[in-house]
Amino acid sequence: MTQAESMSAMSQEMQDCVAACMECHSVCEETMSSCMQKGGQAQMQIMRALIDCADMTRMCADMMMRRSPLSAEMCAMCAKACEMCAEACTAMPDDPQMMRCAQACRRCAETCRAMAGMAM
C-alpha cells in the first residue's frame, strides 16, 4: 500500500463498518449499565460478552480509521465477538435493551465480516 493509498478517503463500506462498530460499542455500554442497575438478573456470561464486544468494536473502529494493516483480522475477530454478544443477549428476550443490543451486534458482525473479506 502506498502512502497516497493509506491517506485516501475511506471507502463507503469502511465508513459503514466504522459507524456500525461505534453504534454497537455504544449500545453494549448502555446495556452493561442497564444490567448493572438490575443487579442479580444479569448473568456473568452476558456481562463478559458485552464487555468483550464493547472493547472489540471500539478497537476495530479505531484500527480501520488509522488504516492499520491488521484491520481485516480485527474485523474478523470483532464479528465473532459481536455474534457471541448477540447470542448472549437473546438469553433475555423480554428485555428490550437486550434485544436492541443483539440487533446492533448482528448488524456490526455483518459489516465486519464483509470488511474482513476485503483488502483494506
Side-chain angles (χ1 to χ4, degrees):
M1 179 185 298
T2 68
Q3 186 175 6
E5 288 171 331
S6 68
M7 298 304 289
S8 65
M10 278 194 281
S11 68
Q12 187 61 52
E13 293 82 8
M14 190 179 289
Q15 290 176 34
D16 291 347
C17 190
V18 168
C21 283
M22 296 308 292
E23 171 67 14
C24 188
H25 170 77
S26 177
V27 174
C28 284
E29 291 285 341
E30 291 168 16
T31 304
M32 279 188 272
S33 178
S34 174
C35 284
M36 286 188 274
Q37 288 173 351
K38 291 177 184 177
Q41 289 182 337
Q43 299 172 4
M44 285 307 297
Q45 177 185 358
I46 295 172
M47 288 300 290
R48 278 191 203 103
L50 287 165
I51 292 166
D52 287 352
C53 190
D55 287 349
M56 291 291 286
T57 52
R58 181 187 38 77
M59 186 181 299
C60 188
D62 289 349
M63 291 177 81
M64 283 186 285
M65 288 187 281
R66 69 175 171 258
R67 315 301 196 282
S68 170
L70 300 173
S71 292
E73 290 92 339
M74 179 54 74
C75 284
M77 286 197 49
C78 188
K80 184 174 182 175
C82 288
E83 289 164 0
M84 290 173 66
C85 190
E87 184 67 30
C89 287
T90 59
M92 297 178 75
D94 296 333
D95 187 317
Q97 181 64 37
M98 289 288 183
M99 294 302 95
R100 183 172 161 244
C101 188
Q103 183 179 23
C105 289
R106 286 186 188 109
R107 181 177 185 282
C108 187
E110 183 180 323
T111 63
C112 281
R113 271 193 305 276
M115 288 307 297
M118 300 175 79
M120 296 278 179

